[in-house]
Amino acid sequence: SSTAFWMIQSILSPLGSPWIIQKAVELGVYRIVPMATRRSVVKLDKKKAEAKVRRFHAVCESAAKQSGRMIVPEVSEVVSFSEACKVAGKLDMGLIPYELARGMGETKAVLQKVRPGMQVGIMIGPEGGFDVEEVEEARQAGIIPVTLGRRILRTETAGMAALSILMFHLEEV
């Protein structure tokens, strides 16, 4: 069975979000979980959050159709960072790309443990990055900090880089 990637994405400005959702669907994401973080620029009330999730679902449908996918990824309701840690912590593996994570060697070793059929959560931070306490909370929940290289990537790029690396590692043609 194929690997299921869960992208747990910090909520972004209305302009950035549809693009990220579309590209994540093209890269084979299974489920999208929007999360509110301490440094999230966008703060949503319940009504706005529900409207955003409906919009994300529509983007998922059109991106799945365009990329020839049979499955339309689900978009969950917006969750808090703590709830996101619980979600990722229940999966086979949770990863949190973090600019202060240790070297590429450790990240490569972690990625070697990802096997077909696993459910893998990738937590992507907001424009301002994750708070140190958030990364520690994630670590306590069993989520592994990883590096995506020495450059600091924008949030739009980080998720795409993580998904691309995982897809390349697992894709069987």
Side-chain angles (χ1 to χ4, degrees):
S1 70
S2 65
T3 310
F5 298 119
W6 293 47
M7 192 164 90
I8 304 162
Q9 171 73 54
S10 177
I11 48 177
L12 304 172
S13 70
L15 291 173
S17 299
W19 185 89
I20 288 178
I21 303 281
Q22 181 185 55
K23 299 305 165 206
V25 171
E26 287 175 28
L27 287 169
V29 80
Y30 169 75
R31 188 174 181 122
I32 296 164
V33 182
M35 85 178 141
T37 60
R38 286 195 190 145
R39 295 182 184 160
S40 290
V41 177
V42 181
K43 304 290 181 207
L44 300 175
D45 59 37
K46 194 162 174 57
K47 206 171 200 168
K48 279 186 181 158
E50 286 169 359
K52 203 168 197 66
V53 168
R54 278 195 303 277
R55 168 93 178 94
F56 290 168
H57 188 74
V59 171
C60 278
E61 280 186 343
S62 73
K65 199 176 288 178
Q66 180 270 318
S67 61
R69 286 187 64 184
M70 297 297 157
I71 298 165
V72 176
E74 275 185 53
V75 182
S76 82
E77 63 184 7
V78 178
V79 298
S80 70
F81 183 81
S82 294
E83 289 166 332
C85 285
K86 286 183 190 131
V87 167
K90 287 180 187 157
L91 301 175
D92 297 315
M93 184 183 285
L95 304 172
I96 184 165
Y98 181 53
E99 60 268 19
L100 301 178
R102 275 186 247 145
M104 198 50 97
E106 280 190 40
T107 294
K108 285 179 181 171
V110 167
L111 296 181
Q112 291 304 318
K113 294 177 185 160
V114 178
R115 295 277 171 262
M118 288 175 81
Q119 296 212 4
V120 180
I122 307 155
M123 298 181 77
I124 303 296
E127 285 95 334
F130 285 114
D131 198 287
V132 178
E133 283 107 45
E134 286 174 326
V135 175
E136 191 46 45
E137 184 180 342
R139 196 191 307 258
Q140 296 289 325
I143 298 150
I144 307 162
V146 293
T147 180
L148 296 175
R150 50 179 184 265
R151 291 170 202 84
I152 294 178
L153 303 178
R154 295 179 67 115
T155 185
E156 297 92 335
T157 314
M160 300 316 109
L163 285 169
S164 298
I165 291 164
L166 287 163
M167 258 184 65
F168 179 79
H169 173 63
L170 287 168
E171 197 85 353
E172 290 178 21
V173 181

